[in-house]
Amino acid sequence: MYLLETINLKKSYREAKGKLEVLRGIDLQIEEGDIVAITGDSGSGKSTLLHLLGLLDSFDSGVIKYFGETIDIKGKQISEFRNRKIGFVFQFHYLLEDFTAEENIAMPALLAEKSFKRSIEKARDLLRYFDLFDRKDHYPNELSGGEQQRVAVARALVNEPDIVLADEPTGNLDERHSEELLNLITDLNKERRQTFVLVTHNKEIATSMPTHYHLEDGLLHKYKE
Amino acid sequence: MIDKINRSHFYNLIMKSIKGFFIKKYIRSPKREWLRYDSVFMIVGLIISVATLTIALAIFEGYETVLKDTIIGANSHIYFFDDRDGAMNEAKKERAGEFLDNKDEVVSYAPVVISQAMVTYGDRLHGCILRGIEWQKDELPVEYYRFISEGTGALHNANDAVLGFNLARKLNASLGDTITISTPLATSVTPLGIRQNNLQLRVVGIYRSGMHEYDSNYLFVDLETAQAFTQISGYSMIEVKLSSDHIDRADYLSYLWRHELDGAYHISSWIDFNEYLFSLLEMEKWVIFIIFSFLVLVASFNVISSVSTSIMEKRRDLGILKAIGYPNSFLKNLFLQRSLILAFISIVLGIIIGMGIAVILANQTLLLLQGDVYFLDSINIRFNLFNTTVVLAVALLITFLTTLIPIKSITRLNVTEILRNN
């Protein structure tokens, strides 16, 4: 059984000129413990696909299944499902400026754990793992770009989600920090069997991942070397 | 942070609520978000409107209470008149006395002679209401001694008189002066011509109740002096003072006693004479409350603007929180509670400032009421828990309802759009 599966997923946007079909039937299967890289040109619909996989947006037609179960995107429990099962990492870290590093990491756990103390403990464990413990009381603007993105990854992991969806996680980092982050992702995958979906326009990064898809003309193609 | 939490039990309690944590972080944000101009407008607007409402209600409540106290104090509560609209004779007075002696509601009663007269002092002349009273009584049915502001209320000599404060000022008379009263009703024709009934009185005390009407007209003399001067053989009426528990049912008692006495007396109560005044005051108080509540409503438009701006500024945060699973209801509640906390603080401040200004108004002497128009010449204030609670509740309700308008937009925020555009 696949962790995540999409069947003939379609998504279009209404524009002044007419309907813009971004995804024209996506069939994707992601197994537990995999790292899936999705590449594509700018505007090809990579982020749209990631948002659909993360249940952040509605789609025109098709099916999304988590562990074989069809997900109702308009269901009342969708926020809770997203909170428990999916972690997100965005290109521009998207940390909350009014909260410290450990509070940012604890944010998803506050909802899941309903305990401030337990959430902070989990955040601190991750800060230690990511070698950021001494930065726990720092606000996002007091952290370097690499540190910000590591905090964002830690936030995505705090609820021990089934899958982490990362949208251009290295897009805003220099080469050294990019490499550090990718090593972190592969380490997490090896040590914790954490499943990742990485959207990137960097083919070099994508090809280094176990599974690589390329999005073109609204369709997904498995990349073969 | 856990170390910090453990240090303070109070902090721990706050932290129990995740919403409390968010609100605290946003209100105490390093950017001092609540000090932004739109939040300041909201806070200042609420403070001013609530303070105005508090002042208006305190003045109205004070006016009503003091007026009622003065009217109840300066007057008796039930009046027995002769049923033939004339003077009451001794026999009827005795019968009424026997009747009243058996009534538990009655604290005291006394006959009184009342007549209009002219009073002159030097070249000044004024109309007055002459009240002949049994001043020797331990407990008079009217507050007489309490309102003696100068001299004495005891009228030991037949020509001793107590003069109303404003009347004394108009006549320019003071303690020890000799004034003359006269009445055209008791003139007599003599072989030497028409003899005007004049009486010379010595001012031994000044009466000041605070009621402009009474202080400008009353002249108190001994009961027998009044009877002799007005040539009333008997009494104008019997005044009855009720115990405090029964003052507000004086109209019912007067109705009851009229029937018990088979209509032998014409019996009225203080309520019959002042009912419309107090109904009007009560109505005016609530009209003022409603009108000034509109001030709070206008001020609450700033709440809409403040919350809308805050939602716009926190758009990115809201998008992130939605993405990581925070439901719309949680986020809406967050803004609602933040708004209500700021509003609560503003309203309480408004009430405190309003009370402070009301106290200043009551103690100043520059702005006074026109006694001949408003009965009282000083500004009196009263605060009561009911009015304060109503102000707090209404202002909070208005804030609550106006906050609901902008927070609706949180549901419509599109997460993917926010994530893309930021």
Side-chain angles (χ1 to χ4, degrees), chain B residues 89-103:
Chain B
N89 62 30
E90 194 66 29
K92 277 195 126 172
K93 185 203 117 185
E94 290 300 323
R95 189 183 160 203
E98 280 166 22
F99 175 82
L100 291 168
D101 282 338
N102 293 318
K103 293 291 175 196

Side-chain angles (χ1 to χ4, degrees), chain A residues 184-224:
Chain A
L184 190 70
I185 287 171
T186 45
D187 287 350
L188 283 164
N189 175 253
K190 279 175 192 157
E191 288 169 21
R192 302 186 175 194
R193 273 184 60 76
Q194 180 66 57
T195 312
F196 283 93
V197 175
L198 301 184
V199 159
T200 178
H201 62 269
N202 188 325
K203 276 200 175 166
E204 201 180 323
I205 291 172
T207 47
S208 69
M209 297 300 158
T211 311
H212 177 195
Y213 285 95
H214 186 71
L215 186 64
E216 197 171 6
D217 294 331
L219 293 169
L220 207 55
H221 308 280
K222 194 147 191 180
Y223 189 82
K224 290 173 190 134

Side-chain angles (χ1 to χ4, degrees), chain A:
Chain A
M1 190 187 295
Y2 297 114
L3 188 164
L4 176 63
E5 186 182 7
T6 67
I7 303 164
N8 200 21
L9 198 64
K10 290 181 180 175
K11 173 74 179 174
S12 59
Y13 292 105
R14 273 185 201 152
E15 289 190 334
K17 293 173 192 165
K19 199 165 150 186
L20 177 68
E21 285 190 6
V22 181
L23 303 176
R24 297 193 294 131
I26 302 290
D27 292 310
L28 172 68
Q29 294 87 33
I30 299 167
E31 289 188 31
E32 232 181 323
D34 199 0
I35 303 182
V36 177
I38 299 173
T39 50
D41 296 337
S42 293
S44 61
K46 300 188 299 289
S47 294
T48 302
L49 176 60
L50 201 75
H51 290 160
L52 294 188
L53 296 179
L55 311 175
L56 291 171
D57 205 356
S58 57
F59 41 89
D60 300 346
S61 62
V63 173
I64 298 178
K65 287 183 177 179
Y66 265 83
F67 288 111
E69 202 176 314
T70 304
I71 299 296
D72 174 14
I73 185 75
K74 292 193 169 78
K76 280 185 180 173
Q77 305 300 319
I78 204 72
S79 296
E80 198 179 333
F81 184 87
R82 207 161 52 223
N83 176 256
R84 307 291 194 281
K85 307 288 184 189
I86 308 169
F88 290 96
V89 180
F90 306 103
Q91 182 178 357
F92 300 104
H93 70 75
Y94 282 132
L95 298 174
L96 302 177
E97 301 293 335
D98 296 313
F99 296 82
T100 62
E102 73 173 1
E103 287 166 349
N104 263 291
I105 297 170
M107 204 62 74
L110 285 172
L111 261 191
E113 298 286 342
K114 294 193 168 54
S115 157
F116 196 82
K117 195 176 170 184
R118 274 202 302 279
S119 306
I120 291 290
E121 277 168 358
K122 288 177 90 174
R124 288 188 175 185
D125 287 344
L126 284 165
L127 280 163
R128 282 190 198 96
Y129 183 86
F130 286 7
D131 202 19
L132 283 167
F133 192 75
D134 57 334
R135 315 292 268 166
K136 68 182 172 64
D137 292 328
H138 288 235
Y139 285 91
N141 60 4
E142 295 164 349
L143 300 170
S144 71
E147 287 170 335
Q148 286 172 344
Q149 204 56 306
R150 270 146 69 202
V151 169
V153 174
R155 181 179 63 187
L157 293 169
V158 74
N159 278 347
E160 295 161 26
D162 295 332
I163 189 166
V164 173
L165 308 176
D167 190 0
E168 304 275 9
T170 57
N172 212 29
L173 299 178
D174 58 33
E175 204 173 323
R176 186 171 68 87
H177 285 115
S178 291
E179 202 179 321
E180 272 177 20
L181 190 74
L182 290 169
N183 288 339
L184 190 70
I185 287 171
T186 45
D187 287 350
L188 283 164
N189 175 253
K190 279 175 192 157
E191 288 169 21
R192 302 186 175 194
R193 273 184 60 76
Q194 180 66 57
T195 312
F196 283 93
V197 175
L198 301 184
V199 159
T200 178
H201 62 269
N202 188 325
K203 276 200 175 166
E204 201 180 323
I205 291 172
T207 47
S208 69
M209 297 300 158
T211 311
H212 177 195
Y213 285 95
H214 186 71
L215 186 64
E216 197 171 6
D217 294 331
L219 293 169
L220 207 55
H221 308 280
K222 194 147 191 180
Y223 189 82
K224 290 173 190 134
E225 285 192 48

Side-chain angles (χ1 to χ4, degrees), chain B residues 162-375:
Chain B
V162 166
L163 207 52
F165 176 78
N166 294 338
L167 185 58
R169 275 211 307 198
K170 283 174 190 165
L171 293 170
N172 203 19
S174 49
L175 290 182
D177 291 342
T178 299
I179 55 172
T180 306
I181 57 169
S182 58
T183 170
L185 292 174
T187 50
S188 51
V189 181
T190 65
L192 296 170
I194 294 172
R195 189 172 72 87
Q196 182 82 29
N197 189 10
N198 288 337
L199 180 65
Q200 291 205 319
L201 298 168
R202 191 173 65 92
V203 180
V204 295
I206 299 292
Y207 170 92
R208 189 176 193 184
S209 66
M211 275 289 278
H212 185 83
E213 190 186 336
Y214 304 157
D215 296 346
S216 300
N217 293 295
Y218 279 2
L219 195 159
F220 296 89
V221 292
D222 177 65
L223 184 68
E224 286 177 16
T225 305
Q227 281 173 324
F229 174 70
T230 56
Q231 295 177 9
I232 292 173
S233 56
Y235 312 94
S236 303
M237 63 174 167
I238 293 173
E239 293 184 319
V240 182
K241 180 181 182 178
L242 298 172
S243 59
S244 55
D245 296 345
H246 298 283
I247 291 173
D248 286 332
R249 55 195 287 265
D251 52 345
Y252 169 70
L253 287 175
S254 67
Y255 166 81
L256 198 69
W257 294 352
R258 196 155 55 234
H259 286 274
E260 284 180 25
L261 289 162
D262 298 325
Y265 300 88
H266 180 71
I267 305 175
S268 303
S269 74
W270 71 274
I271 295 173
D272 298 329
F273 292 111
N274 301 290
E275 189 182 1
Y276 293 114
L277 176 67
F278 288 111
S279 307
L280 187 72
L281 284 179
E282 186 66 20
M283 192 190 75
E284 277 183 0
K285 186 171 78 183
W286 292 111
V287 168
I288 289 284
F289 177 79
I290 291 165
I291 290 170
F292 283 128
S293 291
F294 278 98
L295 276 184
V296 181
L297 188 66
V298 172
S300 71
F301 290 150
N302 289 330
V303 176
I304 299 179
S305 137
S306 169
V307 176
S308 301
T309 312
S310 189
I311 289 172
M312 287 300 287
E313 286 194 351
K314 292 282 173 216
R315 218 174 104 87
R316 179 180 165 279
D317 286 16
L318 287 167
I320 298 164
L321 289 169
K322 274 189 169 193
I324 61 178
Y326 280 82
N328 286 325
S329 57
F330 177 94
L331 301 173
K332 284 201 270 189
N333 247 316
L334 207 65
F335 280 86
L336 183 64
Q337 287 186 19
R338 172 191 166 275
S339 172
L340 286 178
I341 288 171
L342 285 184
F344 181 79
I345 295 168
S346 314
I347 293 164
V348 169
L349 273 176
I351 290 173
I352 293 169
I353 291 170
M355 284 177 164
I357 295 173
V359 169
I360 293 169
L361 277 175
N363 289 302
Q364 52 81 40
T365 50
L366 290 171
L367 274 171
L368 291 174
L369 296 177
Q370 242 181 301
D372 51 351
V373 178
Y374 299 103
F375 305 110

